[in-house]
Structure formats: structure tokens, C-alpha cells
Amino acid sequence: MDNLDALKSEISDQVAAAADLDALEQARIAALGKKGRITEMMKGLGQMSPDERKTAGQALNALKSDINAAIEARKSELEGADIDARLAAERIDVTLPARPESTGAVHPISQTVEEVISIFGEMGFSVAEGPDMEEDWYNFTALNIPPDHPARQEHDTFYVNAEKDGQRMVLRTHTSPVQIRTMQVQKPPIRIIVPGRTYRCDHDATHSPMFHQVEGLLIDETTHMGHLKGCLNDFCRAFFGLGELPVRFRPSYFPFTEPSAEVDIGCSFEGGTLKIGDGDDWLEILGSGMVNPLVLENCGIDSTKYQGFAFGMGIERLAMLKYGIPDLRTFFDSDLRWLRHYGFASLDVPSLVGRASPTRNSP
Ligand code: DAH
């Protein structure tokens, strides 16, 4: 009991010298554990006289609390060092330049389809779909193209080695069969557009065996040719973003419309470059007409009560004209340089009331 000061400095030295939390715990056990040196001395208090015990007890308690305090202090020192070491080891250098990340682009076909949907969407049309592999009846016969009709020869059809209910199957040559499918299941008023893939056995700078069309169909009791003209006029001007774009309706023939008209937009070819909206030339962009009463009757719609118009256009052709893409085959080459050049940063669509043109991915 005489030498508590020496003991205190000895234990304090051990605590201070503990190099890590394990060593510190060992030092604590040696002093304050069940058989620790201070604990053993505490046990000796019982044999002392009351006076001695009082003095020695106070001294030992003071020693014990000093040592506990020293242990706590060393512990937080060691823990702090631990955190500092981890911080140093896990340090991230935020000044390093970011790794390059390649971003995708919206394909001009997707962009153009979205643009067309958005413009007709504003006019109240909704999107309808049908199968790519189609029954002969839907692709031709119901559209007033019977088996011996010359229009069949013009379609360069891919026939498929399959039959359904005795019907020869084809890869649809246009999106028009979806008119039939819609009119069979939906009562007028009908107002749909049909974007989708179409197929013809043809391959050159302006044709590809697979391409895209958008079909339009509007049926009700009162819609007439004036509405057809107004609707397609507005569409052409919104799509090309030219409020003054000249639009011409030229008499034509389609078996499924009567009368029929092809739609041309004004342009010039001066110096070999096409400029849309300028000059005295015309460029055909779509086919249209008043739905042939025979087609309505083929779908079970009373042609004495209902009437309306239809139209169809090629998506690639629209995209080529609007975005200056010279060769149709390149749409499907999957050449990344082409996609980066002609792709779009994000889907951004024009509107009937004239919103900004979409952003090209590269200038
Ligand atoms: N189906 C026609 C084609 O592929 C395009 C077309 C013309 C669709 C006139 C129509 C229409 O709905 O009325 O060439």
C-alpha cells in the first residue's frame, strides 16, 4: 500500500505504451481484471482495521479511477488512429478525370415514328397495331385487291410457307391490313394511326426488303374529302416545321380508296440539292383517299351510314427527306458511325403549334 504512486506510474506507462486495442485490453486485465494487481489489493482491504481501510480504500479508488481514465484516453487515441489509417487507405482521388461513358442515340426511324405519332396524337388519333405475318385476305382481298388484281403484282410480296384457316400467309406488304382488323372489332367513330414494319422483295437506294409505314384511318358519319385535305395539310406543315409549306393533292388510284389522291410537297432541286418548301418542283410523300365503300362492307360497316378517309406513308422516306439521309439501305446497316451521325440525343417531337425541332446527336 505504500507504493501506490510507483504502481500508478508503472501501470500508466503500460497503458500509454499499448500499441493497439488488444494490447490495451491486456494492460487493463493486468491491472483491473479479476486477478489484476489493483483488484488483488482491493481484496486485502478486508483484513485491515476500519481506519486503515478507510484511507487505503480511498487511495485505491482514486488509483482505480485514474487508471480507468488513462485507459479510456488511450482507447480513444487508438480508435482515432484507426480511423485515420482507414481514411488514408481508402482515400479517393476526385481530381482524376471521369472514365468516358458512351451514350446511345435514338435511331432516325424511332425518332420519325414518334414525331408522326405525336402530331396525329394531337389531332385525336390513337395508335393501333397488327401482325407482321398476315393472312392474304387482310393484306389484299378485304382491301379490294382480289387475286387477279394488277396491284398484287406491284407489291413484290414475300409469301410464307404457312396457311391459316386455308389462307395463304404473307409478310404484310403495307400497314393497310390493320385498317381491316380495326374496323372488324371497333364501331365508328374510328381514328387510328398504325406505325409498323412492312415487307417487299425489293432492294436498292430507295427500297429495302423491310421498311416502315404509318397508316391512318378515320371513319365516322360526316367526314369528307375537305377534312382529309385539312388533316394532311396540317400534318405535312407540322412534320417539316414549315408553316407555309405548299401541299398538293394529285388524283391517283388505290383499290381501297375512292377517290384517291397522292400528296406532294413543294420543293426545289437547284444545284442538285433538294430544298423542301422552296421552288416550283413537287415531291410525292404519301397516298390517301376516301375509304372505298366496298372496304367498309368487307368489315361489316354500313357504307350508307359511315364514311371517312385513309392514308399511308413510308417512314424511311419521311426521315430521308427531313434529315437529309441519301440512301435508304443505310438505315439498317447498324454502322455505329452512321448511327452517331444521324441519331438523336433524345426524343423530342414537333407539334401542330410549332415546337422546336428535335436535337440532332451530332451537327
Ligand atoms: N397501302 C399503300 C401503299 O403501301 C399506301 C396507302 C395509300 C395507304 C392510300 C392508304 C391509302 O391507306 O388510303 O402504297
Side-chain angles (χ1 to χ4, degrees):
M1 288 308 287
D2 299 338
N3 227 340
L4 285 189
D5 281 346
L7 182 61
K8 180 178 166 182
S9 82
E10 189 188 332
I11 297 175
S12 300
D13 286 351
Q14 282 168 5
V15 166
D20 55 30
L21 291 170
D22 276 349
L24 181 62
E25 179 63 3
Q26 292 310 318
R28 188 192 67 78
I29 291 169
L32 299 167
K34 263 193 200 154
K35 293 192 173 141
R37 294 168 74 184
I38 298 174
T39 316
E40 291 297 339
M41 293 175 85
M42 292 280 214
K43 286 180 192 162
L45 290 175
Q47 280 97 53
M48 294 180 183
S49 69
D51 274 355
E52 276 176 336
R53 188 186 310 144
K54 192 178 173 199
T55 330
Q58 275 173 0
L60 280 176
N61 275 335
L63 173 62
K64 193 173 161 184
S65 84
D66 285 350
I67 295 301
N68 266 328
I71 290 173
E72 278 313 306
R74 182 64 185 148
K75 192 171 170 196
S76 49
E77 247 174 55
L78 288 172
E79 282 171 348
D82 206 37
I83 287 170
D84 287 346
R86 274 181 54 196
L87 282 175
E90 294 171 14
R91 197 175 131 188
I92 294 171
D93 184 352
V94 292
T95 65
L96 276 178
R99 289 193 188 95
E101 200 172 286
S102 61
T103 48
V106 177
H107 194 286
I109 303 252
S110 309
Q111 170 68 30
T112 306
V113 167
E114 287 305 318
E115 291 180 22
V116 172
I117 290 177
S118 150
I119 294 168
F120 283 109
E122 282 187 52
M123 298 186 200
F125 286 76
S126 53
V127 171
E129 285 179 320
D132 287 20
M133 215 208 290
E134 190 54 281
E135 291 165 47
D136 186 283
W137 187 81
Y138 284 103
N139 194 81
F140 293 120
T141 314
L143 286 159
N144 196 36
I145 317 175
D148 51 356
H149 197 286
R152 287 225 181 187
Q153 274 73 59
E154 285 161 28
H155 275 222
D156 302 309
T157 313
F158 284 114
Y159 289 96
V160 178
N161 276 341
E163 284 194 3
K164 195 176 162 204
D165 305 329
Q167 285 288 316
R168 187 165 54 162
M169 302 295 285
V170 301
L171 291 181
R172 66 179 180 192
T173 58
H174 48 181
T175 40
S176 306
V178 185
Q179 286 188 24
I180 307 297
R181 290 185 172 276
T182 305
M183 288 193 280
Q184 275 184 333
V185 296
Q186 204 179 310
K187 269 186 154 5
I190 294 171
R191 213 181 267 208
I192 53 154
I193 51 163
V194 185
R197 292 197 182 95
T198 46
Y199 306 83
R200 286 184 204 181
C201 188
D202 216 346
H203 193 50
D204 60 33
T206 51
H207 298 90
S208 150
M210 189 279 296
F211 59 106
H212 297 75
Q213 286 189 341
V214 173
E215 188 80 12
L217 176 71
L218 191 154
I219 303 291
D220 61 19
E221 294 184 28
T222 54
T223 290
H224 54 68
M225 190 103 187
H227 297 122
L228 160 68
K229 292 183 72 176
C231 171
L232 295 178
N233 241 322
D234 285 353
F235 166 74
C236 293
R237 291 179 175 163
F239 179 79
F240 288 103
L242 296 169
E244 301 296 315
L245 179 67
V247 179
R248 174 173 87 170
F249 291 77
R250 183 168 36 79
S252 183
Y253 172 78
F254 298 103
F256 29 88
T257 45
E258 184 56 40
S260 304
E262 275 171 304
V263 178
D264 301 337
I265 54 172
C267 68
S268 74
F269 292 100
E270 247 166 62
T273 37
L274 167 68
K275 195 145 183 250
I276 289 171
D278 256 9
D280 306 324
D281 263 316
W282 295 98
L283 199 63
E284 180 210 319
I285 62 159
L286 60 91
S288 66
M290 299 305 294
V291 176
N292 192 322
L294 291 170
V295 173
L296 295 174
E297 295 295 338
N298 285 341
C299 304
I301 290 181
D302 181 356
S303 64
T304 61
K305 186 167 178 206
Y306 295 107
Q307 58 187 32
F309 63 77
F311 55 87
M313 55 189 119
I315 290 292
E316 285 80 359
R317 183 166 169 78
L318 289 180
M320 286 165 83
L321 292 173
K322 182 165 177 180
Y323 296 114
I325 303 173
D327 190 323
L328 187 142
R329 290 165 294 197
T330 57
F331 279 93
F332 310 111
D333 283 344
S334 299
D335 181 333
L336 271 182
R337 292 164 307 169
W338 186 94
L339 290 167
R340 285 197 189 105
H341 180 77
Y342 287 111
F344 294 83
S346 64
L347 281 176
D348 184 3
V349 289
S351 136
L352 284 171
V353 289
R355 221 178 301 139
S357 266
T359 332
R360 263 291 263 288
N361 206 24
S362 54

